[in-house]
């Protein structure tokens, strides 16, 4: 009955490789997000999708490409991995509500380590 | 980061009260979230303030002053399990639920 699930939980790979992280939510939310949390624990928004449409696209290298096949899934593909990509990547979801009082629910994170 | 400031670390004693402050930029501001994050785990929602004043929820309360660009999270009757990072996040007008996090305050509760 996991609400926001992302796989894999740990990802160790070499520089230059291409990898994907998957995220699925069963909360019926229409908005999904990807965040990056670096070694200093700073949580930064990368992308936001609402009903499969890109809403937020922060200044992120174009090696990072999100894909939303449906509103319950938001996957993150990363090309040509670099050392600086090592971080914890969190997926989150929420209802879209311009009133803003819709909390985001987070997955358990994917710990990406680049060798 | 992102014009949201909160102390990096705080220490308090079990059973005590602690206040974690957060300041943010006021332009485009809609509301203020507080999240708790235990080490190695996902952030979990604690509170959301959009109006000025104090909102109480059990041992945790959150305060907002829109004119001052200031919020605090108040934790009462501290327990060891409250040791965690507390993230202040600003909800801004515009994009759906655009939330910008502070760097978090790492709270250590000692016996």
């Amino acid at each position: 009955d996991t609400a926001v699930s992302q796989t894999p939980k740990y990802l160790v790979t070499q520089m230059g490789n291409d990898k994907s992280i998957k995220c699925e939510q069963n909360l019926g939310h229409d908005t999904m997000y990807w965040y990056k949390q670096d070694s200093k624990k700073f949580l930064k928004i990368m992308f936001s999708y609402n009903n499969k449409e890109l809403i937020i696209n922060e200044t992120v290298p174009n090696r990072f490409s999100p894909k939303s096949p449906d509103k319950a899934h938001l996957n993150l593909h990363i090309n040509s991995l670099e050392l600086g990509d090592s971080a914890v990547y969190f997926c989150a979801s929420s209802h879209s509500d311009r009133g803003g009082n819709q909390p985001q629910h987070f997955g358990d994170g994917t710990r990406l380590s680049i060798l | 980061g992102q014009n949201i400031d909160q102390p990096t670390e705080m220490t308090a004693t079990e059973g005590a009260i602690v206040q974690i402050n957060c300041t943010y930029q006021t332009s485009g501001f809609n509301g203020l979230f507080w999240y708790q994050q235990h080490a190695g785990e996902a952030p979990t929602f604690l509170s959301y303030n959009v109006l000025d004043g104090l909102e109480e929820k059990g041992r945790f309360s959150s305060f907002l002053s829109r004119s001052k660009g200031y919020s605090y999270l108040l934790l009462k009757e501290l327990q060891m399990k409250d040791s965690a990072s507390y993230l202040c996040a600003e909800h801004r007008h515009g994009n759906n639920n655009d939330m910008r996090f502070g760097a978090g305050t790492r709270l250590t509760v000692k016996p």
Side-chain angles (χ1 to χ4, degrees):
Chain A
D1 61 345
T2 305
V4 181
S5 60
Q6 49 183 113
T7 56
K9 187 165 184 174
Y10 297 94
L11 185 53
V12 181
T13 189
Q14 293 197 325
M15 211 163 50
N17 283 350
D18 303 338
K19 290 293 177 185
S20 292
I21 308 172
K22 295 186 176 181
C23 181
E24 175 182 4
Q25 54 91 7
N26 62 4
L27 296 166
H29 291 160
D30 56 4
T31 305
M32 295 185 71
Y33 313 81
W34 276 110
Y35 288 86
K36 180 181 179 181
Q37 188 169 44
D38 59 25
S39 57
K40 295 181 180 177
K41 306 304 179 189
F42 177 46
L43 196 62
K44 188 172 181 183
I45 183 77
M46 298 173 70
F47 301 102
S48 165
Y49 269 72
N50 176 260
N51 283 317
K52 304 192 298 174
E53 183 183 339
L54 181 65
I55 300 297
I56 297 173
N57 183 1
E58 288 296 299
T59 306
V60 174
N62 57 15
R63 298 183 293 105
F64 290 78
S65 51
K67 279 193 171 55
S68 182
D70 55 60
K71 69 177 188 179
H73 295 83
L74 181 63
N75 303 324
L76 184 65
H77 187 75
I78 316 170
N79 287 328
S80 303
L81 280 158
E82 300 177 357
L83 290 175
D85 297 334
S86 294
V88 182
Y89 292 84
F90 284 100
C91 176
S93 71
S94 73
H95 289 295
S96 63
D97 178 359
R98 295 202 179 269
N101 60 346
Q102 300 298 323
Q104 295 180 17
H105 297 256
F106 286 80
D108 288 336
T110 295
R111 284 137 193 87
L112 175 63
S113 299
I114 309 302
L115 304 177
Chain B
Q2 304 183 123
N3 299 317
I4 299 170
D5 290 317
Q6 50 182 132
T8 305
E9 293 193 33
M10 296 183 74
T11 302
T13 306
E14 196 175 11
I17 298 173
V18 72
Q19 178 175 313
I20 303 174
N21 297 325
C22 171
T23 57
Y24 58 88
Q25 65 177 57
T26 54
S27 64
F29 175 79
N30 200 34
L32 199 290
F33 285 94
W34 282 97
Y35 278 76
Q36 180 191 59
Q37 185 178 25
H38 284 99
E41 297 183 12
T44 55
F45 169 76
L46 289 178
S47 66
Y48 179 71
N49 291 68
V50 63
L51 300 175
D52 283 355
L54 186 69
E55 297 218 1
E56 298 186 65
K57 204 186 280 187
R59 294 190 299 114
F60 291 8
S61 303
S62 55
F63 172 84
L64 179 69
S65 169
R66 296 180 71 101
S67 61
K68 295 180 180 175
Y70 167 68
S71 172
Y72 67 73
L73 181 69
L74 192 71
L75 292 78
K76 300 178 189 174
E77 300 168 22
L78 280 171
Q79 301 175 9
M80 299 298 288
K81 68 178 182 179
D82 297 331
S83 292
S85 285
Y86 291 87
L87 309 175
C88 170
E90 181 187 359
H91 176 247
R92 302 176 63 74
H93 287 297
N95 293 326
N96 282 337
N97 239 6
D98 184 4
M99 203 161 63
R100 305 294 161 137
F101 283 88
T105 298
R106 190 166 68 209
L107 173 67
T108 302
V109 179
K110 295 187 172 177

